[in-house]
Amino acid sequence: MSRAPRSETARRSWGDDDAGCTILHVDMDAFFASVELLDHPELRGRPVIVGGQHRGVVSAASYEARAFGVHSAMPVTRARLLCPQGVFLPGRHQRYAEVSRQVMAVLADVTPVMEPVSIDEAFLDVAGAVRRMGSPVTIARWIRTEVRARTGVTASVGVAGTKHVAKLASTHAKPDGLMLVPVAATLPFLHSLPVGVLWGVGEKTRAVLERRGLETVADIAATPLAALHRMLGVAAGQKLHELAWGIDNRRVVPGRVEKSAGTETTFPEDITDRTILETVLLDQAHQCAARLRADGVLAATVSIKVRMADFTTLTRSRTLPAPTDLAHDLVTAARDLLGAVSIPPDGVRLLGVRAERLVDARSTGVQGALDEDPQRARAERAMDGVRARFGSGVLRPASLMDTTRGSAFPGARGDIS
């Protein structure tokens, strides 16, 4: 079984009674970076950073990189300053999705009451699995062991009586650990934490609270509800009051799926050439379409995101004639949307495509358009098979090849989410 000395000690410090703690939050440790280390074991022990190669943002950082202050959503330029010796790798969402499916298969072996909330985390309600598999903590240990055995990556698990506390527990168990917060210890655990851990408290809300001297969850709990309403508004104040007192009635909702799939490219230099931008859109559309097909979903809407050199950001969207998982349909709509955007003389800093309003491909009953080319669908699905076997870079549309270098168009690489 994988080691977890820190988290096991923390778990005992809050007690060992897991009665009523049937909510588990499973969170993969530095997931994208961990998957890269599976494929590049020679990089183990080095600071690995996944994300844009130049001016993008960090998608994931290994714990060695985090020791230098690097974290997700940080600009890559800042990460390079903090960790110049880091190994910077582009994101490979198809590979991450493959490992994610293996992880979710482990969780599905425990219970059908599973709610994926992202590619690398999920909630489970194990009430129905206790008789078959043992106590919630026993189940959590089994999950961690099985995830490591089947995938090679590690997971941290929080066990609690509510979703909010289970998620906080998994965060405190990282890396590679398990933490139980017994029902009786819920308030002592919560009240020991800073206010920023509460769901919905971002930088602005935290600043408002801290200006009023409210720095911990205990401070929130001790503040009259009427005062929170005045500070934050009725809805937000009510929610924080409930969370500070351990009240969270949200249930685990099985079968939740991602609402969108997208990719963005931050360019090394600002782009003014519309032809280059359209080529980038084609590459992005193929990335998105491959992800849709891998997840068994169709997109009903396409949107683009355009960030200018002065950081002005525009978004445009279009509903498709019929839901699709084909790059041809996505890029046709994306190019039309870009055609209506004026490119300033200073150029474009970032360009992105997102497939939205996703529906299950097996249950839509959508009929293809009368003029739909079946050969195009077969070709794109054949490309999936080739890439799965030989790697994502071996097969690309001809228009994405740099004819002077014999390689993929360099500007068309970005961060996928």
Side-chain angles (χ1 to χ4, degrees):
M1 182 177 174
S2 56
R3 62 165 183 83
R6 184 174 68 88
S7 58
E8 289 293 334
T9 299
R11 183 182 67 79
R12 284 196 296 270
S13 71
W14 293 106
D16 295 313
D17 183 5
D18 61 2
C21 295
T22 61
I23 307 299
L24 274 57
H25 182 256
V26 180
D27 197 356
M28 308 308 296
D29 299 316
F31 183 54
F32 293 178
S34 296
V35 174
E36 293 296 341
L37 292 174
L38 283 181
D39 297 344
H40 302 285
E42 71 278 7
L43 297 179
R44 291 194 180 279
R46 298 180 62 184
V48 173
I49 300 162
V50 179
Q53 295 296 282
H54 300 282
R55 297 193 302 180
V57 297
V58 173
S59 297
S62 68
Y63 286 94
E64 290 82 2
R66 295 182 189 190
F68 289 89
V70 178
H71 57 78
S72 61
M74 170 183 286
V76 168
T77 52
R78 174 64 174 162
R80 288 186 182 278
L81 290 174
L82 292 173
C83 188
Q85 66 272 54
V87 179
F88 289 79
L89 301 174
R92 298 182 298 152
H93 190 274
Q94 284 183 281
R95 176 63 173 136
Y96 308 146
E98 174 188 354
V99 178
S100 174
R101 287 191 291 272
Q102 296 171 356
V103 172
M104 297 303 168
V106 173
L107 305 186
D109 285 346
V110 175
T111 176
V113 190
M114 175 183 68
E115 180 183 343
V117 292
S118 70
I119 194 172
D120 61 349
E121 63 176 310
F123 287 103
L124 288 79
D125 187 334
V126 300
V130 169
R131 178 175 296 183
R132 176 170 56 91
M133 299 187 66
S135 70
V137 167
T138 299
I139 294 172
R141 287 172 171 159
W142 182 89
I143 288 172
R144 295 184 60 239
T145 300
E146 282 297 302
V147 167
R148 181 190 284 272
R150 297 191 203 179
T151 70
V153 297
T154 61
S156 293
V157 183
V159 184
T162 68
K163 293 173 77 171
H164 183 239
V165 176
K167 182 171 176 62
L168 291 176
S170 69
T171 300
H172 281 258
K174 285 180 172 291
D176 190 17
L178 181 157
M179 178 183 281
L180 163 68
V181 180
V183 172
T186 295
L187 292 183
F189 170 69
L190 282 173
H191 293 180
S192 70
L193 301 175
V195 70
V197 306
L198 291 178
W199 178 74
V201 176
E203 291 185 10
K204 291 183 179 179
T205 301
R206 187 175 68 238
V208 169
L209 295 171
E210 290 180 351
R211 282 199 298 269
R212 304 295 182 92
L214 305 180
E215 298 182 349
T216 68
V217 178
D219 293 335
I220 297 294
T223 301
L225 182 57
L228 292 176
H229 286 174
R230 288 193 297 271
M231 276 184 258
L232 306 171
V234 173
Q238 183 71 33
K239 176 57 66 176
L240 288 196
H241 174 79
E242 292 176 354
L243 293 177
W245 283 103
I247 301 169
D248 179 12
N249 296 320
R250 293 174 300 161
R251 296 188 177 187
V252 176
V253 181
R256 174 173 168 172
V257 298
E258 292 183 79
K259 297 181 180 179
S260 65
T263 179
E264 297 179 353
T265 300
T266 303
F267 302 112
E269 298 178 357
D270 299 323
I271 304 295
T272 58
D273 189 329
R274 189 177 290 273
T275 301
I276 293 177
L277 296 174
E278 290 185 349
T279 304
V280 174
L281 287 178
L282 176 61
D283 183 65
Q284 293 175 334
H286 274 279
Q287 293 183 56
C288 287
R291 177 175 174 184
L292 296 177
R293 293 190 293 270
D295 292 344
V297 294
L298 305 173
T301 299
V302 173
S303 68
I304 65 168
K305 177 179 177 180
V306 187
R307 178 167 296 153
M308 310 305 180
D310 64 357
F311 284 86
T312 299
T313 303
L314 305 176
T315 58
R316 300 288 186 269
S317 65
R318 170 176 295 180
T319 299
L320 298 169
T324 186
D325 59 5
L326 298 182
H328 173 269
D329 300 332
L330 300 182
V331 75
T332 298
R335 283 175 169 170
D336 285 348
L337 291 169
L338 182 65
V341 175
S342 297
I343 306 301
D346 291 341
V348 172
R349 173 185 177 88
L350 175 149
L351 183 63
V353 171
R354 184 160 292 276
E356 300 173 331
R357 292 176 56 207
L358 306 187
V359 294
D360 191 325
R362 296 165 298 181
S363 61
T364 57
V366 173
Q367 180 177 345
L370 294 177
D371 60 351
E372 181 180 279
D373 183 357
Q375 294 282 27
R376 181 175 292 120
R378 284 196 287 269
E380 291 197 28
R381 287 173 174 81
M383 290 171 67
D384 293 342
V386 173
R387 290 169 180 152
R389 184 173 181 182
F390 298 107
S392 60
V394 301
L395 185 62
R396 305 172 67 81
S399 56
L400 291 179
M401 300 302 294
D402 182 341
T403 56
T404 64
R405 302 181 185 180
S407 61
F409 176 72
R413 301 312 248 166
D415 310 317
I416 192 162
S417 62

